[in-house]
mmCIF file of all heavy atoms in Angstrom:
data_model
loop_
_atom_site.group_PDB
_atom_site.id
_atom_site.type_symbol
_atom_site.label_atom_id
_atom_site.label_comp_id
_atom_site.label_asym_id
_atom_site.label_seq_id
_atom_site.Cartn_x
_atom_site.Cartn_y
_atom_site.Cartn_z
ATOM 1 N N ALA A 600 -35.141 68.155 2.978
ATOM 2 C CA ALA A 600 -36.483 68.753 3.051
ATOM 3 C C ALA A 600 -37.588 67.685 2.915
ATOM 4 O O ALA A 600 -38.747 68.044 2.977
ATOM 5 C CB ALA A 600 -36.646 69.814 1.975
ATOM 6 N N GLY A 601 -37.203 66.458 2.633
ATOM 7 C CA GLY A 601 -38.202 65.430 2.403
ATOM 8 C C GLY A 601 -38.967 65.038 3.643
ATOM 9 O O GLY A 601 -38.536 65.238 4.777
ATOM 10 N N ALA A 602 -40.139 64.436 3.406
ATOM 11 C CA ALA A 602 -40.984 63.982 4.485
ATOM 12 C C ALA A 602 -40.528 62.586 4.981
ATOM 13 O O ALA A 602 -39.689 61.939 4.357
ATOM 14 C CB ALA A 602 -42.425 63.917 4.014
ATOM 15 N N VAL A 603 -41.118 62.141 6.048
ATOM 16 C CA VAL A 603 -40.823 60.823 6.599
ATOM 17 C C VAL A 603 -41.989 59.907 6.279
ATOM 18 O O VAL A 603 -43.167 60.248 6.540
ATOM 19 C CB VAL A 603 -40.596 60.895 8.127
ATOM 20 C CG1 VAL A 603 -40.456 59.462 8.684
ATOM 21 C CG2 VAL A 603 -39.335 61.691 8.443
ATOM 22 N N ALA A 604 -41.729 58.768 5.696
ATOM 23 C CA ALA A 604 -42.781 57.797 5.368
ATOM 24 C C ALA A 604 -42.553 56.521 6.173
ATOM 25 O O ALA A 604 -41.438 56.265 6.683
ATOM 26 C CB ALA A 604 -42.757 57.513 3.874
ATOM 27 N N GLN A 605 -43.586 55.731 6.284
ATOM 28 C CA GLN A 605 -43.462 54.451 6.967
ATOM 29 C C GLN A 605 -44.385 53.466 6.296
ATOM 30 O O GLN A 605 -45.407 53.815 5.739
ATOM 31 C CB GLN A 605 -43.691 54.550 8.469
ATOM 32 C CG GLN A 605 -45.061 55.015 8.836
ATOM 33 C CD GLN A 605 -45.212 55.099 10.344
ATOM 34 O OE1 GLN A 605 -44.227 55.340 11.095
ATOM 35 N NE2 GLN A 605 -46.397 54.888 10.884
ATOM 36 N N ALA A 606 -44.062 52.153 6.370
ATOM 37 C CA ALA A 606 -44.845 51.115 5.795
ATOM 38 C C ALA A 606 -44.581 49.765 6.496
ATOM 39 O O ALA A 606 -43.497 49.578 7.026
ATOM 40 C CB ALA A 606 -44.533 50.989 4.283
ATOM 41 N N PRO A 607 -45.532 48.903 6.502
ATOM 42 C CA PRO A 607 -45.300 47.537 7.042
ATOM 43 C C PRO A 607 -44.180 46.879 6.220
ATOM 44 O O PRO A 607 -44.013 47.059 5.038
ATOM 45 C CB PRO A 607 -46.641 46.813 6.851
ATOM 46 C CG PRO A 607 -47.637 47.873 6.681
ATOM 47 C CD PRO A 607 -46.933 49.022 6.006
ATOM 48 N N ALA A 608 -43.353 46.086 6.935
ATOM 49 C CA ALA A 608 -42.228 45.445 6.263
ATOM 50 C C ALA A 608 -41.952 44.049 6.822
ATOM 51 O O ALA A 608 -42.219 43.766 8.007
ATOM 52 C CB ALA A 608 -40.967 46.327 6.468
ATOM 53 N N SER A 609 -41.448 43.205 5.941
ATOM 54 C CA SER A 609 -40.958 41.900 6.369
ATOM 55 C C SER A 609 -39.418 42.021 6.396
ATOM 56 O O SER A 609 -38.838 42.647 5.508
ATOM 57 C CB SER A 609 -41.385 40.774 5.420
ATOM 58 O OG SER A 609 -40.955 41.050 4.108
ATOM 59 N N VAL A 610 -38.784 41.381 7.371
ATOM 60 C CA VAL A 610 -37.342 41.551 7.615
ATOM 61 C C VAL A 610 -36.645 40.222 7.629
ATOM 62 O O VAL A 610 -37.126 39.260 8.210
ATOM 63 C CB VAL A 610 -37.064 42.318 8.925
ATOM 64 C CG1 VAL A 610 -35.565 42.565 9.084
ATOM 65 C CG2 VAL A 610 -37.843 43.597 8.961
ATOM 66 N N THR A 611 -35.483 40.122 7.003
ATOM 67 C CA THR A 611 -34.631 38.912 7.083
ATOM 68 C C THR A 611 -33.208 39.321 7.421
ATOM 69 O O THR A 611 -32.677 40.266 6.784
ATOM 70 C CB THR A 611 -34.638 38.129 5.733
ATOM 71 O OG1 THR A 611 -35.974 37.728 5.443
ATOM 72 C CG2 THR A 611 -33.719 36.892 5.815
ATOM 73 N N LEU A 612 -32.581 38.630 8.316
ATOM 74 C CA LEU A 612 -31.169 38.839 8.641
ATOM 75 C C LEU A 612 -30.443 37.563 8.265
ATOM 76 O O LEU A 612 -30.952 36.448 8.546
ATOM 77 C CB LEU A 612 -30.963 39.106 10.148
ATOM 78 C CG LEU A 612 -31.728 40.324 10.731
ATOM 79 C CD1 LEU A 612 -31.440 40.383 12.227
ATOM 80 C CD2 LEU A 612 -31.329 41.587 10.056
ATOM 81 N N ASP A 613 -29.262 37.660 7.705
ATOM 82 C CA ASP A 613 -28.470 36.471 7.384
ATOM 83 C C ASP A 613 -27.004 36.830 7.256
ATOM 84 O O ASP A 613 -26.585 37.922 7.658
ATOM 85 C CB ASP A 613 -28.996 35.768 6.134
ATOM 86 C CG ASP A 613 -28.935 36.604 4.865
ATOM 87 O OD1 ASP A 613 -28.369 37.729 4.916
ATOM 88 O OD2 ASP A 613 -29.494 36.215 3.832
ATOM 89 N N GLY A 614 -26.206 35.948 6.664
ATOM 90 C CA GLY A 614 -24.787 36.184 6.516
ATOM 91 C C GLY A 614 -24.068 36.233 7.833
ATOM 92 O O GLY A 614 -23.259 37.134 8.079
ATOM 93 N N PRO A 615 -24.267 35.278 8.764
ATOM 94 C CA PRO A 615 -23.583 35.336 10.057
ATOM 95 C C PRO A 615 -22.068 35.228 9.885
ATOM 96 O O PRO A 615 -21.571 34.456 9.035
ATOM 97 C CB PRO A 615 -24.131 34.147 10.833
ATOM 98 C CG PRO A 615 -24.557 33.180 9.733
ATOM 99 C CD PRO A 615 -25.078 34.055 8.642
#
Side-chain angles (χ1 to χ4, degrees):
V603 175
Q605 62 180 29
S609 59
V610 184
T611 299
L612 304 178
D613 60 8

